[in-house]
């Protein structure tokens, strides 16, 4: 079975992912693994403390592709050149870049997004409105020039969402509907799937077929069965798999997804086909 993991980062990428044993971030990675249902060793991610170890994890999990996601917020910056450096080491890896149009300034961010796509070959751009300074919703007009650029380049916008948003009011899926309406050719992928506001984002995706949901580790949390029900109905082409590694084991996440009740034809789409379409593979 072909599998594309839409959210898969090595520990060695940053302390935030458990790069340095014994540190505060390392303990958070262990805690989060326990919180989202990791079975067995919550320090499994230490294997990806080296490039070879990460590739072994990806290969042994049976992935066709692993997508390494960048980030650019006031508190964490994973540069596009670093994402490119990591993903260029193996045909198993793809990259998503990132910009902060507020922090970098409009033209600098637009230029960097274009460079990330056209020069570095990254497959999309991650934007985190609810994690910025100040916190913003996805339909804030400050982001519109970037959305217009991505729509023109025909690459996806990846929006960060979820319960780790510093102010939970900015984990509101409703503004995504405005973005989807104003930019109808822009493919919008919601990391963390706006969990726990599952019904709201499913309603947005019902109305707008250019909205894609990647609940990743939250697919296995209470209330997330709605994603599965929707995928077996109208959402079959809009739900994508992500393990959220190193915060959850890759192979376990694949096995857990297979047990959630997706119809066979839908399971193939969720594990591979929808991601291949989104990324243009």
């Amino acid at each position: 079975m072909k599998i594309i993991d839409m959210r898969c980062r090595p520990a060695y990428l940053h302390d935030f992912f458990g790069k340095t044993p014994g540190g505060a971030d390392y303990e958070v990675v262990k805690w989060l693994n326990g919180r989202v249902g990791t079975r067995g060793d919550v320090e499994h991610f230490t294997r990806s403390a080296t490039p070879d170890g990460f590739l072994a994890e990806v290969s042994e999990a049976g992935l066709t592709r692993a997508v390494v996601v960048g980030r650019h917020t006031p508190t964490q910056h994973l540069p596009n050149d670093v994402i490119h450096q990591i993903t260029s080491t193996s045909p198993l890896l793809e990259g998503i870049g990132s910009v902060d149009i507020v922090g970098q300034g409009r033209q600098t961010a637009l230029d960097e997004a274009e460079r990330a796509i056209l020069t570095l070959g990254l497959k999309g751009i991650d934007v985190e409105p609810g994690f910025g300074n100040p916190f913003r919703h996805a339909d804030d007009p400050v982001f519109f020039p970037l959305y217009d650029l991505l729509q023109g380049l025909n690459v996806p916008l990846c929006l960060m969402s979820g319960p780790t948003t510093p102010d939970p009011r900015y984990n509101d899926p409703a503004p995504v509907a405005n973005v989807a309406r104003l930019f109808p050719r822009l493919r919008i992928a919601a990391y963390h799937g706006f969990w726990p506001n599952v019904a709201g984002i499913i309603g947005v995706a019902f109305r707008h077929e250019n909205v894609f949901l990647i609940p990743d580790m939250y697919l296995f949390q209470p209330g997330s069965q709605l994603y599965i029900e929707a995928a077996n109905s109208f959402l079959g082409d809009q739900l994508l798999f992500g393990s959220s590694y190193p915060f959850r084991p890759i192979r376990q996440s694949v096995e857990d997804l297979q047990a959630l009740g997706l119809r066979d034809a839908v399971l193939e789409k969720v594990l591979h086909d929808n991601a291949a379409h989104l990324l243009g593979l």
Side-chain angles (χ1 to χ4, degrees), residues 4-254:
I4 297 176
D5 187 338
M6 282 294 299
R7 193 169 181 85
C8 188
R9 291 72 47 91
Y12 73 83
L13 176 57
H14 193 276
D15 278 342
F16 182 76
F17 302 112
K19 178 180 180 179
T20 307
D25 286 327
Y26 186 88
E27 293 302 314
V28 170
V29 179
K30 289 169 55 180
W31 172 84
L32 191 53
N33 266 276
R35 199 71 170 167
V36 299
T38 295
R39 296 189 295 273
D41 184 9
V42 294
E43 296 183 83
H44 64 89
F45 56 87
T46 56
R47 188 182 187 192
S48 67
T50 66
D52 287 344
F54 177 55
L55 285 174
E57 284 284 276
V58 168
S59 179
E60 291 174 19
L63 297 184
T64 307
R65 293 282 200 286
V67 180
V68 182
V69 184
R71 192 177 199 189
H72 198 156
T73 72
T75 59
Q76 186 182 115
H77 183 200
L78 308 175
N80 295 325
D81 287 304
V82 172
I83 302 301
H84 169 67
Q85 181 182 13
I86 291 172
T87 57
S88 63
T89 62
S90 170
L92 290 174
L93 305 179
E94 300 287 353
I96 297 290
S98 61
V99 296
D100 178 2
I101 199 167
V102 177
Q104 293 176 279
R106 171 176 168 170
Q107 195 56 52
T108 299
L110 294 178
D111 290 345
E112 176 59 15
E114 191 168 38
R115 185 183 76 92
I117 300 302
L118 299 182
T119 301
L120 301 182
L122 303 183
K123 297 298 185 180
I125 295 294
D126 177 79
V127 178
E128 309 200 9
F131 293 79
N133 185 16
F135 307 142
R136 298 176 187 267
H137 291 292
D139 62 350
D140 191 302
V142 73
F143 301 111
F144 288 1
L146 176 61
Y147 298 166
D148 188 56
L149 173 68
L150 299 181
Q151 181 173 251
L153 292 174
N154 194 31
V155 296
L157 162 70
C158 297
L159 289 174
M160 177 70 162
S161 67
T164 59
T165 306
D167 184 333
R169 290 173 295 183
Y170 292 85
N171 186 38
D172 180 3
V176 178
N178 288 330
V179 178
R181 175 178 57 84
L182 293 170
F183 299 90
R185 293 183 292 105
L186 176 64
R187 287 166 289 158
I188 304 164
Y191 279 125
H192 294 343
F194 282 89
W195 188 87
N197 300 316
V198 182
I201 190 61
I202 287 176
V204 171
F206 176 89
R207 174 64 181 82
H208 300 282
E209 294 183 41
N210 57 327
V211 173
F212 300 82
L213 308 184
I214 310 169
D216 46 78
M217 60 187 175
Y218 298 109
L219 187 60
F220 312 104
Q221 301 307 304
S224 60
Q225 187 63 25
L226 286 175
Y227 295 120
I228 302 302
E229 292 178 27
N232 281 332
S233 176
F234 64 87
L235 198 69
D237 294 326
Q238 294 166 263
L239 186 68
L240 289 74
F241 167 71
S243 69
S244 215
Y245 184 88
F247 301 122
R248 208 173 194 276
I250 304 170
R251 171 49 59 183
Q252 181 194 325
S253 297
V254 172

